[in-house]
Amino acid sequence: MMREKVSPIAKLYLLIVILILYAPIFYLVFYSFNSGEYMSGFEGFTLDWYRELFGDVRLLIIVLNTIVIALLSALIATLIGTFGAIWLHTIKRGKNTILGLNNVLIVSPDVIIGASFLILFTVAGIRLGFYSVLLSHIAFSIPIVVLMVLPKLAEMNPSLIDAARDLGASRWDVLTKVILPYITPGIFAGFFMALTYSLDDFAVTFFVTGNGFSTLSVEIYSMARQGISLRINALSTILFLFTIVLVGIYYIISQRSGANLGGIRR
């Protein structure tokens, strides 16, 4: 099969789009090494802003809070969302209705979702802090996982399950040895999507964060309100690099999962 050649105009257009998207990020990263105090002119190379960040104990605690919240919420949301997607794939009645309700949570404005959680936690008597942030992140991550897993379930040939049952496999064997291995790429996609959404969420977290607890997104917002500081550039650079690492890990895992599935299909 011959590959279609990409025209020079299309390549130029793609290059322009990439530059527009990444130029502000690289500008921010570049000035995180500026020895001056502003982004108006580069005065010299320095790592002082990074030293200040790693010397700030309070900020390190906030980073730890953010990572713990992201990992826990992504893990729990992946478990719930995966089994929810499997259940949604098997039911006949009300499937479109439930899927529609799932999609509403994704397209709803974050301000409305955050305000709703704030009201819910206030009425339920749940103290705003770690658990309120964790519960809210789990809630808005589950629909994302469901949407990542459902397409893989739709691609799966039902004859695989029928063949496993004909060979005497139990429901648990069908789930663990047929369904879950097949939809593994979708599960990983859902996990990493939930992880990145949790890391950079601001609107919902801002509503449900209490005194004494904060995440990086809320902290960066607070720092920016106090005035432009290159510490924000340094902190944003670290977050950007961390995101690149996550994308790389996801790419490697998805490639290996795809190769394993290819071997099974053959």
Side-chain angles (χ1 to χ4, degrees):
M1 180 183 255
M2 295 182 63
R3 295 183 178 178
E4 295 183 2
K5 293 183 178 180
V6 181
S7 65
I9 297 178
K11 292 181 179 179
L12 179 61
Y13 175 77
L14 180 61
L15 179 61
I16 293 173
V17 171
I18 292 175
L19 288 176
I20 292 174
L21 291 175
Y22 284 92
I25 298 177
F26 290 135
Y27 182 80
L28 181 146
V29 173
F30 177 73
Y31 272 96
S32 69
F33 300 101
N34 184 21
S35 59
E37 297 183 357
Y38 305 100
M39 289 189 290
S40 57
F42 193 85
E43 298 181 8
F45 181 86
T46 184
L47 295 175
D48 290 343
W49 301 112
Y50 292 91
R51 293 192 187 98
E52 285 189 21
L53 284 178
F54 289 106
D56 190 340
V57 177
R58 176 179 174 275
L59 189 60
L60 292 179
I61 293 175
I62 292 174
V63 172
L64 181 62
N65 290 340
T66 305
I67 294 175
V68 170
I69 288 288
L71 289 174
L72 282 178
S73 63
L75 180 61
I76 298 173
T78 300
L79 290 173
I80 299 174
T82 298
F83 287 103
I86 295 173
W87 172 77
L88 188 61
H89 181 70
T90 57
I91 64 173
K92 301 298 181 181
R93 295 182 179 180
K95 181 176 181 179
N96 292 332
T97 302
I98 298 174
L99 185 58
L101 293 174
N102 181 83
N103 295 339
V104 166
L105 293 176
I106 296 178
V107 300
S108 296
D110 289 343
V111 174
I112 295 177
I113 296 176
S116 300
F117 278 124
L118 176 61
I119 296 172
L120 174 63
F121 294 143
T122 303
V123 173
I126 299 176
R127 183 179 178 182
L128 298 182
F130 177 84
Y131 292 105
S132 63
V133 175
L134 178 62
L135 291 174
S136 61
H137 282 218
I138 293 172
F140 70 64
S141 296
I142 290 176
I144 300 170
V145 177
V146 171
L147 287 186
M148 293 292 105
V149 175
L150 274 178
K152 298 303 297 182
L153 288 169
E155 292 177 5
M156 186 171 59
N157 193 337
S159 61
L160 293 175
I161 298 177
D162 296 335
R165 289 174 177 171
D166 292 339
L167 293 173
S170 63
R171 289 186 176 181
W172 179 253
D173 290 332
V174 171
L175 176 64
T176 57
K177 297 180 180 180
V178 179
I179 298 177
L180 289 181
Y182 191 93
I183 64 175
T184 295
I187 295 175
F188 279 115
F191 173 80
F192 281 101
M193 284 292 291
L195 187 66
T196 54
Y197 266 73
S198 176
L199 285 173
D200 67 5
D201 177 77
F202 167 74
V204 176
T205 307
F206 182 78
F207 277 93
V208 297
T209 299
N211 294 329
F213 184 86
S214 183
T215 62
L216 277 177
S217 59
V218 177
E219 182 65 17
I220 291 174
Y221 173 76
S222 300
M223 292 170 63
R225 290 187 62 186
Q226 295 173 3
I228 300 299
S229 171
L230 296 188
R231 290 180 64 199
I232 300 176
N233 293 49
L235 184 57
S236 301
T237 300
I238 294 174
L239 284 177
F240 177 67
L241 294 177
F242 183 68
T243 304
I244 292 178
V245 172
L246 289 179
V247 172
I249 294 173
Y250 166 68
Y251 178 78
I252 294 172
I253 293 175
S254 61
Q255 290 294 318
R256 290 181 178 178
S257 300
N260 293 336
L261 286 176
I264 293 174
R265 290 168 185 168
R266 288 193 294 270

